[in-house]
Amino acid sequence: MSGNGTPERIEALVIGAGFAGLYLLHRLRGLGIAAIALEAGDGVGGTWYWNRYPGARCDVESMQYSFGFSEELQQEWNWSERFAGQPEILAYANHVADRLDLRRDISFKTRATSAVWDEAAARWLVETDTGRRISARQLILATGCLSSARLPDIPGIEGFGGAIYHTGQWPHGGVDFTGQRVAVIGTGSSAIQAIPVIAKQAAQLTVFQRTPNFSIPSRNGPMTEDYAQTWKRDYPARRAAARQMRTGILYHLNPVSALAVPEAERRAEYEARWAAGGTAFMAAFSDLLTNREANDTAADFVREKIRGLVHDPEVAEILLPRNHPIGAKRICVDTAYYETFNLPHVTLVDVRRNPISRITPEGVEAGGATHAADSIVFATGFDAMTGTILAIDIRGRGGLSMREAWAEGPRTHLGLMVAGFPNLFLITGPGSPSVLSNMIVSIEQHVDWVCDSLAHRQRHGFSVMETTPKAQDDWVAHVNEVAQRTLYPQANSWYMGANIPGKPQLFMPYVGGVGTYRQLCDEIAAGGYPGFVFTAGEQVRAAE
Ligand code: N01
């Protein structure tokens, strides 16, 4: 079963047991396709398994950040807050795994290290860090978009005398910062959630900011029975509507340009959205992500709010985001983030003016001064969208490696398949809406599409499916073209690969919108899968 002998044989191998891996196992089982999942962690939940930092919380409302494929599941689960925190979402993932009896098909603490396409057998041979060798007809990467946590290249990290943490790999038992001097490096979504919570415990908190971000208050609060019931009574229709939205989230997208209304009306709309809280702020007007002048009106409004929230004008000035359009970097959502900088034991260091030169045994050296710390929290992000896929040594037709194929940036057809890599599917891969959307909505759509394609092959006796270079080239061109029509490429974001030195820079997710993308995928399936090639051969069997 392992070692150098005959590999284990399975029809479908899933990598990852986050929400994508869980739903895949469920759907594959329903098709009678024998499948197992490998999971590096010792539990399910993916992102929500790893990101246990204080304050970790979803910025999509709980009633929408949950599976919609099962009426029983969505009726029986009760959320306690408007925006669920990490422990509750992890509990939900565990509930789903138990309810659907998925654990028996998951190998925990097992990381795929390589995957090689065997032309003769038309199968993937996958090896793991535990020495297992698995031969699978289908290989499905449900590896998540933000799974490769990244420490920056700051000299001296290994010599630090205190404790070091990364938000994306937080200790399971939690961390008690009571009485400590804590340094937080980074001010992205993770830091913006963690900073107010860490500030409540720490004796002293120093925040190192390189780029200020726009953050909108979440207005999180307890879930009311009324609100939950409004959703539960109407779930099928609401889920169906959300699936057609640009982001896969049901909210009111104002169809009017920000520039088409008088100043007072514009302000009233922003005030209402600010008061309501959450990312729906970016739906205040139709052109906030396509027209810089329109975008400036929203950015100015938020900058004015920051000035109002932060007492010290010099600190406020440092916190004002100015180098990118609002929303072009992932918009953040917070609970009392800006207010935290009014606390006497919280200090903000502007890393642009005072660059971090090194980590010393005592703390963080920036601009010639040492900021003493007992703990350093790196909230420095991820090698997003491609890092986890490329960490597996994947070799397709003719020995082509994925690293070579993506040397100039990820290339996919629909974010679902890569030319030269038959029977290998990506879930929410680069080139799909993925990180610009409600991930669970996109996961369900991808898994359904992949499973429908497998059912199609079962019916027609095709054992191999792959995309063509031409279809891939056309899709990559389309993804770039629609991105260029927006303001997204104007920010040095992880969407562009800009946070990783040397990573090719191109806009990775598809901005065309979840509804449009779904329609395209549906049309391709209904039209007999143009852009994909099927090879008739040994019939895909329900079980081997
Ligand atoms: O990571 P990030 P994240 N010296 O890459 C800074 C999702 N998410 O973990 O911008 C100093 O956004 C870096 O500075 P700069 C969400 O999609 C969602 O916070 O590169 N600073 C930046 O400030 C999100 O976008 C939720 O100049 C350094 C920070 O570290 C994604 O995950 C919650 C540095 C990294 O920010 C990633 O968020 C949390 C250095 N050498 C996360 N290197 C919700 O749903 C990096 N930085 C609410």
Side-chain angles (χ1 to χ4, degrees):
M1 117 158 219
S2 59
N4 291 326
T6 310
E8 302 161 54
R9 280 169 78 84
I10 191 82
E11 182 58 29
L13 182 63
V14 173
I15 313 287
F19 284 118
L22 294 178
Y23 185 43
L24 270 163
L25 286 179
H26 175 68
R27 281 290 326 260
L28 290 167
R29 206 182 270 173
L31 287 174
I33 294 177
I36 57 169
L38 307 181
E39 167 55 53
D42 67 1
V44 300
T47 284
W48 302 102
Y49 170 91
W50 297 103
N51 287 266
R52 299 171 188 236
Y53 61 86
R57 185 176 296 290
C58 191
D59 61 4
V60 177
E61 284 195 9
S62 316
M63 297 311 294
Q64 304 205 47
Y65 191 80
S66 49
F67 281 125
F69 69 84
S70 156
E71 180 63 3
E72 294 86 58
L73 260 184
Q74 64 189 9
Q75 289 299 333
E76 72 194 13
W77 185 261
N78 295 314
W79 295 103
S80 70
E81 290 179 279
R82 177 182 175 199
F83 293 101
Q86 174 273 332
E88 192 169 19
I89 302 174
L90 185 60
Y92 172 72
N94 277 285
H95 168 75
V96 172
D98 292 333
R99 184 78 165 73
L100 303 177
D101 186 23
L102 302 175
R103 267 178 230 283
R104 63 184 157 97
D105 290 329
I106 305 171
S107 280
F108 293 105
K109 292 184 165 180
T110 309
R111 190 180 284 277
T113 51
S114 68
V116 178
W117 176 250
D118 176 342
E119 300 273 3
R123 286 177 153 271
W124 286 97
L125 178 63
V126 174
E127 298 193 336
T128 74
D129 62 352
T130 58
R132 278 174 71 174
R133 298 170 73 239
I134 303 164
S135 166
R137 177 76 70 199
Q138 323 295 338
L139 178 60
I140 313 178
L141 303 184
T143 39
C145 296
L146 295 157
S147 319
S148 287
R150 181 188 158 265
L151 280 180
D153 302 326
I154 302 173
I157 292 180
E158 57 300 327
F160 179 59
I164 286 204
Y165 305 99
H166 190 289
T167 48
Q169 286 177 341
W170 204 257
H172 284 201
V175 181
D176 183 2
F177 290 112
T178 305
Q180 288 197 22
R181 298 162 302 172
V182 182
V184 173
I185 299 181
T187 50
S189 299
S190 302
I192 280 176
Q193 290 186 322
I195 284 164
V197 185
I198 295 175
K200 284 190 183 145
Q201 283 188 345
Q204 193 184 306
L205 173 62
T206 311
V207 175
F208 294 83
Q209 173 194 271
R210 188 163 67 184
T211 310
N213 260 308
F214 291 96
S215 188
I216 310 295
S218 72
R219 313 286 179 211
N220 186 34
M223 178 68 67
T224 64
E225 184 56 22
D226 264 8
Y227 189 66
Q229 283 311 321
T230 314
W231 271 88
K232 286 190 176 183
R233 272 196 302 274
D234 199 22
Y235 246 143
R238 288 182 179 219
R239 298 281 199 195
R243 289 178 190 124
Q244 299 307 322
M245 299 287 290
R246 186 177 74 194
T247 56
I249 305 171
L250 195 59
Y251 51 48
H252 175 59
L253 174 59
N254 189 349
V256 172
S257 160
L259 305 176
V261 296
E263 158 78 30
E265 194 178 315
R266 192 162 58 224
R267 167 165 285 278
E269 182 71 28
Y270 288 143
E271 287 288 2
R273 301 238 174 196
W274 183 266
T279 56
F281 182 85
M282 289 307 297
F285 294 101
S286 62
D287 51 356
L288 294 186
L289 285 166
T290 49
N291 180 322
R292 186 65 196 248
E293 205 188 327
N295 185 283
D296 284 344
T297 66
D300 285 344
F301 176 87
V302 175
R303 283 189 284 261
E304 189 188 309
K305 287 291 182 195
I306 298 170
R307 283 196 196 91
L309 289 168
V310 179
H311 299 161
D312 182 335
E314 280 178 33
V315 176
E317 199 56 33
I318 300 170
L319 286 166
L320 296 183
R322 293 187 190 280
N323 80 341
H324 60 280
I326 184 168
K329 272 190 160 188
R330 173 63 138 68
I331 190 99
C332 301
V333 169
D334 70 277
T335 300
Y337 173 64
Y338 295 113
E339 296 89 323
T340 299
F341 293 94
N342 296 330
L343 300 172
H345 67 296
V346 177
T347 308
L348 179 64
V349 176
D350 178 358
V351 169
R352 295 248 180 235
R353 220 176 288 164
N354 302 292
I356 299 175
S357 42
R358 62 189 178 118
I359 306 291
T360 69
E362 291 75 38
V364 181
E365 193 179 88
T370 296
H371 301 267
D374 303 304
S375 293
I376 303 177
V377 174
F378 286 92
T380 44
F382 301 86
D383 185 352
M385 305 201 74
T386 57
T388 313
I389 295 171
L390 296 181
I392 307 169
D393 186 7
I394 302 174
R395 299 193 180 245
R397 281 205 191 281
L400 174 70
S401 83
M402 191 71 90
R403 288 174 197 147
E404 279 166 52
W406 285 6
E408 285 170 18
R411 300 179 67 76
T412 69
H413 183 30
L414 296 166
L416 281 161
M417 292 198 94
V418 183
F421 298 83
N423 287 4
L424 183 147
F425 297 92
L426 313 176
I427 303 299
T428 64
S432 76
S434 64
V435 290
L436 298 179
S437 71
N438 179 347
M439 288 303 284
I440 300 197
V441 168
S442 287
I443 283 168
E444 285 187 335
Q445 186 264 338
H446 266 196
V447 170
D448 286 342
W449 194 91
V450 169
C451 288
D452 290 350
S453 78
L454 290 172
H456 172 84
R457 287 159 62 186
Q458 278 182 327
R459 285 193 298 275
H460 294 89
F462 296 129
S463 59
V464 177
M465 173 177 181
E466 58 200 300
T467 189
T468 65
K470 165 86 170 73
Q472 178 169 279
D473 289 348
D474 289 351
W475 183 251
V476 169
H478 175 63
V479 169
N480 286 331
E481 194 244 322
V482 287
Q484 292 308 324
R485 280 190 240 146
T486 72
L487 302 176
Y488 282 110
Q490 294 186 20
N492 288 324
S493 64
W494 59 258
Y495 295 144
M496 298 284 297
N499 64 328
I500 306 291
K503 187 164 172 171
Q505 301 221 358
L506 85 172
F507 193 77
M508 293 187 281
Y510 176 59
V511 299
V514 164
T516 309
Y517 174 82
R518 172 184 297 273
Q519 200 179 324
L520 275 168
C521 289
D522 287 351
E523 282 167 13
I524 287 169
Y529 297 93
F532 295 90
V533 174
F534 294 87
T535 310
E538 185 191 357
Q539 181 142 359
V540 176
R541 292 189 297 257
E544 295 198 85

